[in-house]
Amino acid sequence: MLKAIMARALYIHWPFCLRRCPYCDFNSHVRQEVDIEHWKNTFFRELTFEQPHGEPLRSIFFGGGTPSLMPPALVGALLEEAERLYGFTSDIEITLEANPSSVEAGKFAALAAVGINRVSLGIQALNDADLRFLGRLHSAKDAQTALMIAQKCFNRVSIDLIYARPGQAQADWERELGRALQFGTDHLSLYQLTIEPGTRFATDVRRGAFTPLADDPAADLFALTRSMTAAAGRPAYEISNHAAPGQESRHNLAYWRYEDYLGIGPGAHGRRGGVATRRHKKPENWLAAVAEHGHGVAEQYVLGPSALASEALLMGLRLNEGIDLAALAHRFELRTGEMIDQRRLALHQSLGLVWQEGSRIGITEAGMPLLDALLGELVSDTLVAA
Amino acid sequence: MRFIRNFSIIAHIDHGKSTLADRLIQFTGGLTDREMSEQVLDNMDIERERGITIKAQTVRLSYTAKDGHTYQLNLMDTPGHVDFAYEVSRSLAACEGALLVVDAAQGVEAQTLANVYQSIEHDHEIVPVINKIDLPAAEPDKVRAEIEEVIGLDASNAVLTSAKSGIGIEDVLEAVVARIPPPTGTRDAPLKASLVDSWYDPYLGVVILVRVIDGVITKGLPVRFMQGGTQHLIDRVGAFTPKRIELPELGPGEIGFITAQIKEVEQARVGDTITTVKGGAADPLPGYKEVQPVVFCGLFPVDAADFEKLRESIAKLRLNDASFSFEMESSAALGFGFRCGFLGLLHLEIIQERLTREYDLDLITTAPSVVYRIQLRASRTDPAGELLLHNPADYPDPSRIETIEEPWIKAVIYTPDEYLGPILKLCQDRRGIQTDLTYVGGRAQVSYELPLNEVVFDFYDRLKSISRGYASFDYEQIGLREGDLVKMSILVNNEPVDALSLIVHRSVAEARGRGMCERLKDLIPRHLFKIPIQAAIGGKVIARETIAALRKDVTAKCYGGDITRKKKLLEKQKKGKARMREYGNVSIPQEAFIAALRMGEE
């Protein structure tokens, strides 16, 4: 029997945006009108369907799309219903992703009032030219104003920036990140721009409209980012996430530590008791499915021990804290040798890319920018082939 | 015998040999139009796709000529490639004449020349046929002049045809009857039949194509193979029309097939003489020789688990083709496989392709090499001796080497003269010695003596590329010559990669080594550490490149919904790795083993 951890993390997906960003491959849609009442009732049915037994929630995350477009009353109603059905721990972390526009900043106080205690602001860049390139609707000034309001309304504020932009010089990023650190948020998500298939940027690159930053300068920016955030007291704890100690995103840690989580709303994924679920992506299909079946699950499958272990490894090794091999072996009833290629582990340890302390292994500073290649080496072949 | 005509068709690839053969069959009623839907003579998929003939085929046609007599015409389709030169010579020996088919637009090509000369050597009556005369670019007069100037044949009475449109087919048949002499032979003399070709048929066993010189072959006759020394009982006698028909006998001058419950083609060697067990001929027919493989390479299964399947497949192929050899080989990196010997490069490619296609095997092919003859000095433990080196991996201790000899060829290249300059340079770069150069019209014919090991890999590809496909090339072997040859090893991350080592002439070793290191630098993906690539002779490094370490390979964003996608990526990564071979912690893609040797623009 797999030792399933009760799901104590809930993800709610709000799929609507005013406009699609050219780099984004998340499940987002633009619609003229949204029937709020209908959506509320549909989310309620999903909450009821996923109701767990006993364990109260420790974290909720409103992601999207643009969840800051949700009316605060809807957010409040969902939180009330979730608390009624699941119960909350006293220190529950409730995060909402928000755009830093003036309209949305005007809702922050109301969102805080209904229970949001952490926001993640999609600032993305601190200059207007780059914001335009990234297809954002806000200006650098809007973002700063929104950030100030957010810092007044919420205990915890995180900001998102996208770097390693085409042609971005080291000195430019150094200055920009320096300013971002001065804003004083205790959490920063700093993502290297990735050209995802199917996005407008992918088409642009194919047509030669711009050339993504090459890997070598991108690697330099990655190292610079980690050293600057560490020096500023908000070191990386994951590939792209940086926080003051204790201020890590509890909800996202649940993913990386491969704890169970529930996901409701269009396209949301869940992992619970060794079962993976994925909901209908298209909003209309999801609404119809919930109306018909009481849930929006499009696909559900059991993950065997090998699949679970490989997922746990590829998520866990993103964290600075690494993984506890013995604990994972125990959890999935596998031998450690079945999970990790020991010969490769020794090789990459000798190259200084991997560390090992007791039963814990993790990726070193030098190894982090090479994580995907390292995963291909470290995760045992039998785990992936199986 | 007066009414028998045996002839072959000589043509360059694409000049319309198969189409003409088809028309002749159709005209004489060998097959109905419906049955003619596909070209009949090239049986194998590979033959049809590449437009080449690998096995000799023969068709017996019945033609009532304008003189009122009905003739038995035996049309022999011979292999068109130099790799099968010996088979060609046996096929030609079975005929009294040949049709020389030349494309009215393209003119004479080198391959045609070699076979024409062979045919002339056999005292054949050659009937020139200028084909594709209805093409807009057709210049029959120019081609006629070319045939006269280049080959020295009287082309004034060449037959003009378009096999595709069915023009001039009857003229060809009339020319065969009128101009090619009938065979000669004695019915009462002891049986002498030449073994022209043999192949394995799953229902009939080995089928043998024969040309009877003297005597008669009948069903139930006990026969002896004079060179092979075996005895067999004939159980079937017949011919192909092209449908297989059984006949009561084959008399002198006739071409047909026999079967004799033989299981392996090896027992029915091309060129052997068949006679009766009792009262047989005293001497065999001249011209028999055992064919020797000249090009060798290693074949390894990509998946080590396929080794047994490879062994079985090679053994099965060998049932049908006695001209290639194989022995087990093991390589540090490639595992277990076979060292195979071939008649030439085309033969190598054909076997490789048949293994992949017909037997569904994924193969790694090592660099082709030739056979070197090494004279060894005596050492404290071993006496002096001679070594035939098939595999660079078996290269002996250099201090024991007295001399090394390598096979040389005489190559004839035929090209529009505008490409002559770069072609001469190519031959020069490959240690060639020019022996002849003549111009005919806007074309040049150049002869070179070249070491086979300089040709064996990509010479033909390069020639085609620098002449935009216009140059044609043919060669024959002219024996072994001593050379200053050394073994060059390639070290990847300081470990020698046996499958990449090769024997080279000292004068080109450095350039070749530098080229290989440069190419490997592009072929081997970046790793998590930097990788030195070196070419070395003995302990001396002659070229070096370094592959820089990978700097960035990481997914920026990965949350709850991205796990599935990330896992698929990992699976893909693992699959890619499974197609590579590992040397000293470095994964080398399979295709690199051959691609590294491609010389590129020199």
Side-chain angles (χ1 to χ4, degrees), chain B residues 173-210:
Chain B
L173 290 164
E174 284 297 318
V176 167
V177 167
R179 285 155 65 179
I180 293 175
T184 53
T186 317
R187 198 177 165 87
D188 302 327
L191 175 66
K192 256 189 189 178
S194 165
L195 200 162
V196 178
D197 202 357
S198 65
W199 61 90
Y200 184 81
D201 179 291
Y203 302 105
L204 307 176
V206 173
V207 178
I208 298 170
L209 192 63
V210 293

mmCIF file of all heavy atoms in Angstrom, chain B residues 173-210:
data_model
loop_
_atom_site.group_PDB
_atom_site.id
_atom_site.type_symbol
_atom_site.label_atom_id
_atom_site.label_comp_id
_atom_site.label_asym_id
_atom_site.label_seq_id
_atom_site.Cartn_x
_atom_site.Cartn_y
_atom_site.Cartn_z
ATOM 1 N N LEU B 173 14.151 -6.380 -82.292
ATOM 2 C CA LEU B 173 14.046 -7.839 -82.399
ATOM 3 C C LEU B 173 14.606 -8.334 -83.745
ATOM 4 O O LEU B 173 15.318 -9.341 -83.804
ATOM 5 C CB LEU B 173 12.574 -8.263 -82.241
ATOM 6 C CG LEU B 173 12.016 -8.083 -80.813
ATOM 7 C CD1 LEU B 173 10.494 -8.145 -80.817
ATOM 8 C CD2 LEU B 173 12.598 -9.118 -79.860
ATOM 9 N N GLU B 174 14.316 -7.590 -84.796
ATOM 10 C CA GLU B 174 14.842 -7.966 -86.108
ATOM 11 C C GLU B 174 16.369 -7.868 -86.134
ATOM 12 O O GLU B 174 17.039 -8.726 -86.710
ATOM 13 C CB GLU B 174 14.246 -7.057 -87.202
ATOM 14 C CG GLU B 174 12.805 -7.392 -87.564
ATOM 15 C CD GLU B 174 12.649 -8.789 -88.159
ATOM 16 O OE1 GLU B 174 13.490 -9.209 -88.995
ATOM 17 O OE2 GLU B 174 11.689 -9.489 -87.775
ATOM 18 N N ALA B 175 16.895 -6.836 -85.481
ATOM 19 C CA ALA B 175 18.350 -6.656 -85.445
ATOM 20 C C ALA B 175 19.007 -7.801 -84.677
ATOM 21 O O ALA B 175 20.072 -8.295 -85.051
ATOM 22 C CB ALA B 175 18.704 -5.307 -84.812
ATOM 23 N N VAL B 176 18.351 -8.238 -83.590
ATOM 24 C CA VAL B 176 18.878 -9.356 -82.802
ATOM 25 C C VAL B 176 18.965 -10.599 -83.694
ATOM 26 O O VAL B 176 19.995 -11.277 -83.753
ATOM 27 C CB VAL B 176 17.977 -9.633 -81.570
ATOM 28 C CG1 VAL B 176 18.321 -10.980 -80.938
ATOM 29 C CG2 VAL B 176 18.122 -8.506 -80.553
ATOM 30 N N VAL B 177 17.874 -10.871 -84.405
ATOM 31 C CA VAL B 177 17.820 -12.067 -85.238
ATOM 32 C C VAL B 177 18.848 -11.982 -86.370
ATOM 33 O O VAL B 177 19.581 -12.936 -86.654
ATOM 34 C CB VAL B 177 16.394 -12.239 -85.812
ATOM 35 C CG1 VAL B 177 16.383 -13.271 -86.922
ATOM 36 C CG2 VAL B 177 15.441 -12.627 -84.698
ATOM 37 N N ALA B 178 18.935 -10.797 -87.000
ATOM 38 C CA ALA B 178 19.784 -10.667 -88.172
ATOM 39 C C ALA B 178 21.260 -10.509 -87.818
ATOM 40 O O ALA B 178 22.120 -11.016 -88.547
ATOM 41 C CB ALA B 178 19.312 -9.471 -89.001
ATOM 42 N N ARG B 179 21.561 -9.844 -86.741
ATOM 43 C CA ARG B 179 22.962 -9.470 -86.508
ATOM 44 C C ARG B 179 23.685 -10.290 -85.446
ATOM 45 O O ARG B 179 24.900 -10.396 -85.458
ATOM 46 C CB ARG B 179 23.040 -7.976 -86.177
ATOM 47 C CG ARG B 179 22.850 -7.142 -87.468
ATOM 48 C CD ARG B 179 22.320 -5.771 -87.229
ATOM 49 N NE ARG B 179 23.247 -4.933 -86.486
ATOM 50 C CZ ARG B 179 22.987 -3.670 -86.172
ATOM 51 N NH1 ARG B 179 21.838 -3.104 -86.561
ATOM 52 N NH2 ARG B 179 23.849 -2.977 -85.491
ATOM 53 N N ILE B 180 22.954 -10.807 -84.470
ATOM 54 C CA ILE B 180 23.638 -11.607 -83.450
ATOM 55 C C ILE B 180 23.708 -13.055 -83.930
ATOM 56 O O ILE B 180 22.713 -13.619 -84.382
ATOM 57 C CB ILE B 180 22.898 -11.499 -82.093
ATOM 58 C CG1 ILE B 180 23.048 -10.059 -81.589
ATOM 59 C CG2 ILE B 180 23.455 -12.485 -81.079
ATOM 60 C CD1 ILE B 180 22.293 -9.736 -80.341
ATOM 61 N N PRO B 181 24.916 -13.646 -83.878
ATOM 62 C CA PRO B 181 25.069 -15.006 -84.420
ATOM 63 C C PRO B 181 24.396 -16.048 -83.536
ATOM 64 O O PRO B 181 24.287 -15.851 -82.323
ATOM 65 C CB PRO B 181 26.582 -15.207 -84.436
ATOM 66 C CG PRO B 181 27.126 -14.255 -83.435
ATOM 67 C CD PRO B 181 26.189 -13.102 -83.374
ATOM 68 N N PRO B 182 23.969 -17.166 -84.117
ATOM 69 C CA PRO B 182 23.413 -18.240 -83.290
ATOM 70 C C PRO B 182 24.533 -18.932 -82.519
ATOM 71 O O PRO B 182 25.701 -18.836 -82.903
ATOM 72 C CB PRO B 182 22.800 -19.191 -84.338
ATOM 73 C CG PRO B 182 23.534 -18.923 -85.600
ATOM 74 C CD PRO B 182 23.978 -17.486 -85.544
ATOM 75 N N PRO B 183 24.191 -19.626 -81.429
ATOM 76 C CA PRO B 183 25.232 -20.341 -80.668
ATOM 77 C C PRO B 183 25.733 -21.547 -81.452
ATOM 78 O O PRO B 183 25.071 -22.001 -82.383
ATOM 79 C CB PRO B 183 24.489 -20.778 -79.396
ATOM 80 C CG PRO B 183 23.044 -20.799 -79.773
ATOM 81 C CD PRO B 183 22.860 -19.758 -80.835
ATOM 82 N N THR B 184 26.868 -22.053 -81.019
ATOM 83 C CA THR B 184 27.383 -23.285 -81.625
ATOM 84 C C THR B 184 27.515 -24.311 -80.517
ATOM 85 O O THR B 184 27.562 -23.958 -79.343
ATOM 86 C CB THR B 184 28.761 -23.065 -82.264
ATOM 87 O OG1 THR B 184 29.619 -22.490 -81.275
ATOM 88 C CG2 THR B 184 28.676 -22.145 -83.465
ATOM 89 N N GLY B 185 27.610 -25.584 -80.851
ATOM 90 C CA GLY B 185 27.742 -26.614 -79.830
ATOM 91 C C GLY B 185 27.374 -27.952 -80.429
ATOM 92 O O GLY B 185 26.824 -28.017 -81.535
ATOM 93 N N THR B 186 27.689 -29.031 -79.714
ATOM 94 C CA THR B 186 27.458 -30.367 -80.230
ATOM 95 C C THR B 186 26.540 -31.124 -79.291
ATOM 96 O O THR B 186 26.832 -31.271 -78.107
ATOM 97 C CB THR B 186 28.794 -31.136 -80.365
ATOM 98 O OG1 THR B 186 29.757 -30.240 -80.922
ATOM 99 C CG2 THR B 186 28.644 -32.355 -81.232
ATOM 100 N N ARG B 187 25.442 -31.621 -79.828
ATOM 101 C CA ARG B 187 24.456 -32.319 -79.019
ATOM 102 C C ARG B 187 25.001 -33.643 -78.486
ATOM 103 O O ARG B 187 24.699 -34.043 -77.357
ATOM 104 C CB ARG B 187 23.212 -32.572 -79.882
ATOM 105 C CG ARG B 187 21.997 -32.883 -79.066
ATOM 106 C CD ARG B 187 20.754 -33.056 -79.939
ATOM 107 N NE ARG B 187 19.723 -33.693 -79.130
ATOM 108 C CZ ARG B 187 18.873 -33.028 -78.355
ATOM 109 N NH1 ARG B 187 18.899 -31.715 -78.322
ATOM 110 N NH2 ARG B 187 18.002 -33.688 -77.621
ATOM 111 N N ASP B 188 25.857 -34.328 -79.300
ATOM 112 C CA ASP B 188 26.310 -35.654 -78.909
ATOM 113 C C ASP B 188 27.545 -35.632 -78.006
ATOM 114 O O ASP B 188 27.955 -36.664 -77.492
ATOM 115 C CB ASP B 188 26.630 -36.480 -80.174
ATOM 116 C CG ASP B 188 25.398 -36.568 -81.064
ATOM 117 O OD1 ASP B 188 24.286 -36.594 -80.493
ATOM 118 O OD2 ASP B 188 25.557 -36.585 -82.306
ATOM 119 N N ALA B 189 28.148 -34.473 -77.855
ATOM 120 C CA ALA B 189 29.368 -34.395 -77.054
ATOM 121 C C ALA B 189 29.006 -34.536 -75.566
ATOM 122 O O ALA B 189 27.848 -34.370 -75.185
ATOM 123 C CB ALA B 189 30.054 -33.061 -77.286
ATOM 124 N N PRO B 190 30.010 -34.851 -74.705
ATOM 125 C CA PRO B 190 29.743 -34.905 -73.254
ATOM 126 C C PRO B 190 29.188 -33.553 -72.774
ATOM 127 O O PRO B 190 29.570 -32.510 -73.289
ATOM 128 C CB PRO B 190 31.107 -35.181 -72.638
ATOM 129 C CG PRO B 190 31.955 -35.725 -73.739
ATOM 130 C CD PRO B 190 31.414 -35.164 -75.021
ATOM 131 N N LEU B 191 28.294 -33.618 -71.780
ATOM 132 C CA LEU B 191 27.630 -32.404 -71.279
ATOM 133 C C LEU B 191 28.630 -31.405 -70.718
ATOM 134 O O LEU B 191 29.514 -31.758 -69.936
ATOM 135 C CB LEU B 191 26.612 -32.772 -70.200
ATOM 136 C CG LEU B 191 25.939 -31.588 -69.509
ATOM 137 C CD1 LEU B 191 25.057 -30.815 -70.486
ATOM 138 C CD2 LEU B 191 25.117 -32.057 -68.312
ATOM 139 N N LYS B 192 28.462 -30.163 -71.172
ATOM 140 C CA LYS B 192 29.225 -29.045 -70.590
ATOM 141 C C LYS B 192 28.246 -27.893 -70.486
ATOM 142 O O LYS B 192 27.779 -27.385 -71.500
ATOM 143 C CB LYS B 192 30.367 -28.637 -71.522
ATOM 144 C CG LYS B 192 31.732 -29.082 -71.095
ATOM 145 C CD LYS B 192 32.794 -28.440 -71.967
ATOM 146 C CE LYS B 192 34.156 -29.051 -71.689
ATOM 147 N NZ LYS B 192 35.182 -28.478 -72.549
ATOM 148 N N ALA B 193 27.903 -27.503 -69.257
ATOM 149 C CA ALA B 193 27.000 -26.365 -69.085
ATOM 150 C C ALA B 193 27.635 -25.405 -68.098
ATOM 151 O O ALA B 193 28.232 -25.823 -67.100
ATOM 152 C CB ALA B 193 25.639 -26.837 -68.573
ATOM 153 N N SER B 194 27.519 -24.127 -68.400
ATOM 154 C CA SER B 194 28.125 -23.119 -67.519
ATOM 155 C C SER B 194 27.100 -22.674 -66.476
ATOM 156 O O SER B 194 25.944 -22.399 -66.800
ATOM 157 C CB SER B 194 28.567 -21.933 -68.376
ATOM 158 O OG SER B 194 28.827 -20.836 -67.546
ATOM 159 N N LEU B 195 27.531 -22.601 -65.207
ATOM 160 C CA LEU B 195 26.658 -22.135 -64.135
ATOM 161 C C LEU B 195 26.706 -20.607 -64.137
ATOM 162 O O LEU B 195 27.708 -20.013 -63.751
ATOM 163 C CB LEU B 195 27.130 -22.726 -62.801
ATOM 164 C CG LEU B 195 26.129 -22.757 -61.642
ATOM 165 C CD1 LEU B 195 26.569 -23.741 -60.587
ATOM 166 C CD2 LEU B 195 25.884 -21.389 -61.068
ATOM 167 N N VAL B 196 25.656 -19.986 -64.624
ATOM 168 C CA VAL B 196 25.660 -18.537 -64.835
ATOM 169 C C VAL B 196 25.324 -17.795 -63.544
ATOM 170 O O VAL B 196 25.919 -16.781 -63.204
ATOM 171 C CB VAL B 196 24.654 -18.151 -65.944
ATOM 172 C CG1 VAL B 196 24.619 -16.637 -66.130
ATOM 173 C CG2 VAL B 196 25.043 -18.838 -67.244
ATOM 174 N N ASP B 197 24.339 -18.294 -62.819
ATOM 175 C CA ASP B 197 23.953 -17.638 -61.568
ATOM 176 C C ASP B 197 23.145 -18.641 -60.765
ATOM 177 O O ASP B 197 22.685 -19.654 -61.306
ATOM 178 C CB ASP B 197 23.122 -16.377 -61.853
ATOM 179 C CG ASP B 197 23.149 -15.396 -60.684
ATOM 180 O OD1 ASP B 197 23.767 -15.724 -59.648
ATOM 181 O OD2 ASP B 197 22.569 -14.303 -60.807
ATOM 182 N N SER B 198 22.982 -18.349 -59.476
ATOM 183 C CA SER B 198 22.149 -19.218 -58.651
ATOM 184 C C SER B 198 21.526 -18.391 -57.563
ATOM 185 O O SER B 198 22.086 -17.384 -57.135
ATOM 186 C CB SER B 198 22.995 -20.338 -58.042
ATOM 187 O OG SER B 198 23.947 -19.805 -57.154
ATOM 188 N N TRP B 199 20.346 -18.777 -57.131
ATOM 189 C CA TRP B 199 19.696 -18.069 -56.036
ATOM 190 C C TRP B 199 18.807 -19.014 -55.273
ATOM 191 O O TRP B 199 18.468 -20.104 -55.773
ATOM 192 C CB TRP B 199 18.915 -16.858 -56.550
ATOM 193 C CG TRP B 199 17.809 -17.190 -57.508
ATOM 194 C CD1 TRP B 199 16.515 -17.474 -57.208
ATOM 195 C CD2 TRP B 199 17.920 -17.269 -58.940
ATOM 196 N NE1 TRP B 199 15.803 -17.721 -58.346
ATOM 197 C CE2 TRP B 199 16.631 -17.601 -59.439
ATOM 198 C CE3 TRP B 199 18.958 -17.083 -59.842
ATOM 199 C CZ2 TRP B 199 16.360 -17.764 -60.794
ATOM 200 C CZ3 TRP B 199 18.692 -17.244 -61.192
ATOM 201 C CH2 TRP B 199 17.420 -17.571 -61.665
ATOM 202 N N TYR B 200 18.459 -18.626 -54.088
ATOM 203 C CA TYR B 200 17.664 -19.490 -53.233
ATOM 204 C C TYR B 200 16.200 -19.137 -53.360
ATOM 205 O O TYR B 200 15.819 -17.974 -53.277
ATOM 206 C CB TYR B 200 18.119 -19.330 -51.778
ATOM 207 C CG TYR B 200 17.401 -20.278 -50.847
ATOM 208 C CD1 TYR B 200 17.812 -21.606 -50.725
ATOM 209 C CD2 TYR B 200 16.316 -19.851 -50.098
ATOM 210 C CE1 TYR B 200 17.144 -22.485 -49.889
ATOM 211 C CE2 TYR B 200 15.642 -20.729 -49.258
ATOM 212 C CZ TYR B 200 16.058 -22.042 -49.166
ATOM 213 O OH TYR B 200 15.391 -22.904 -48.342
ATOM 214 N N ASP B 201 15.393 -20.142 -53.595
ATOM 215 C CA ASP B 201 13.949 -19.949 -53.663
ATOM 216 C C ASP B 201 13.354 -20.795 -52.549
ATOM 217 O O ASP B 201 13.668 -21.977 -52.433
ATOM 218 C CB ASP B 201 13.446 -20.424 -55.036
ATOM 219 C CG ASP B 201 11.935 -20.263 -55.167
ATOM 220 O OD1 ASP B 201 11.190 -20.993 -54.469
ATOM 221 O OD2 ASP B 201 11.506 -19.429 -55.964
ATOM 222 N N PRO B 202 12.511 -20.178 -51.719
ATOM 223 C CA PRO B 202 12.003 -20.924 -50.556
ATOM 224 C C PRO B 202 11.215 -22.180 -50.938
ATOM 225 O O PRO B 202 11.141 -23.111 -50.153
ATOM 226 C CB PRO B 202 11.108 -19.921 -49.842
ATOM 227 C CG PRO B 202 11.043 -18.692 -50.672
ATOM 228 C CD PRO B 202 12.080 -18.786 -51.731
ATOM 229 N N TYR B 203 10.648 -22.233 -52.146
ATOM 230 C CA TYR B 203 9.860 -23.416 -52.531
ATOM 231 C C TYR B 203 10.682 -24.433 -53.316
ATOM 232 O O TYR B 203 10.486 -25.625 -53.207
ATOM 233 C CB TYR B 203 8.646 -22.987 -53.365
ATOM 234 C CG TYR B 203 7.777 -22.024 -52.608
ATOM 235 C CD1 TYR B 203 7.765 -20.672 -52.911
ATOM 236 C CD2 TYR B 203 6.989 -22.478 -51.537
ATOM 237 C CE1 TYR B 203 6.991 -19.787 -52.184
ATOM 238 C CE2 TYR B 203 6.208 -21.601 -50.804
ATOM 239 C CZ TYR B 203 6.211 -20.249 -51.139
ATOM 240 O OH TYR B 203 5.452 -19.388 -50.416
ATOM 241 N N LEU B 204 11.603 -23.938 -54.146
ATOM 242 C CA LEU B 204 12.333 -24.836 -55.033
ATOM 243 C C LEU B 204 13.718 -25.191 -54.523
ATOM 244 O O LEU B 204 14.378 -26.046 -55.090
ATOM 245 C CB LEU B 204 12.470 -24.193 -56.426
ATOM 246 C CG LEU B 204 11.185 -23.696 -57.091
ATOM 247 C CD1 LEU B 204 11.524 -23.003 -58.404
ATOM 248 C CD2 LEU B 204 10.249 -24.877 -57.350
ATOM 249 N N GLY B 205 14.190 -24.529 -53.482
ATOM 250 C CA GLY B 205 15.588 -24.684 -53.096
ATOM 251 C C GLY B 205 16.417 -23.804 -54.015
ATOM 252 O O GLY B 205 15.926 -22.822 -54.575
ATOM 253 N N VAL B 206 17.696 -24.187 -54.205
ATOM 254 C CA VAL B 206 18.557 -23.346 -55.037
ATOM 255 C C VAL B 206 18.203 -23.542 -56.514
ATOM 256 O O VAL B 206 18.105 -24.672 -56.988
ATOM 257 C CB VAL B 206 20.039 -23.671 -54.777
ATOM 258 C CG1 VAL B 206 20.930 -22.922 -55.758
ATOM 259 C CG2 VAL B 206 20.401 -23.304 -53.346
ATOM 260 N N VAL B 207 17.953 -22.419 -57.188
ATOM 261 C CA VAL B 207 17.653 -22.450 -58.617
ATOM 262 C C VAL B 207 18.931 -22.039 -59.348
ATOM 263 O O VAL B 207 19.565 -21.048 -58.977
ATOM 264 C CB VAL B 207 16.514 -21.471 -58.959
ATOM 265 C CG1 VAL B 207 16.231 -21.480 -60.457
ATOM 266 C CG2 VAL B 207 15.250 -21.815 -58.170
ATOM 267 N N ILE B 208 19.312 -22.810 -60.353
ATOM 268 C CA ILE B 208 20.565 -22.545 -61.049
ATOM 269 C C ILE B 208 20.277 -22.159 -62.497
ATOM 270 O O ILE B 208 19.554 -22.862 -63.200
ATOM 271 C CB ILE B 208 21.469 -23.799 -61.018
ATOM 272 C CG1 ILE B 208 21.807 -24.140 -59.555
ATOM 273 C CG2 ILE B 208 22.738 -23.572 -61.831
ATOM 274 C CD1 ILE B 208 22.475 -25.481 -59.399
ATOM 275 N N LEU B 209 20.865 -21.025 -62.875
ATOM 276 C CA LEU B 209 20.722 -20.576 -64.250
ATOM 277 C C LEU B 209 21.907 -21.159 -65.025
ATOM 278 O O LEU B 209 23.051 -20.987 -64.602
ATOM 279 C CB LEU B 209 20.759 -19.049 -64.250
ATOM 280 C CG LEU B 209 20.361 -18.323 -65.514
ATOM 281 C CD1 LEU B 209 18.910 -18.611 -65.858
ATOM 282 C CD2 LEU B 209 20.547 -16.818 -65.298
ATOM 283 N N VAL B 210 21.618 -21.869 -66.126
ATOM 284 C CA VAL B 210 22.710 -22.506 -66.872
ATOM 285 C C VAL B 210 22.668 -22.130 -68.340
ATOM 286 O O VAL B 210 21.627 -21.829 -68.899
ATOM 287 C CB VAL B 210 22.665 -24.053 -66.784
ATOM 288 C CG1 VAL B 210 22.947 -24.518 -65.373
ATOM 289 C CG2 VAL B 210 21.326 -24.599 -67.280
#
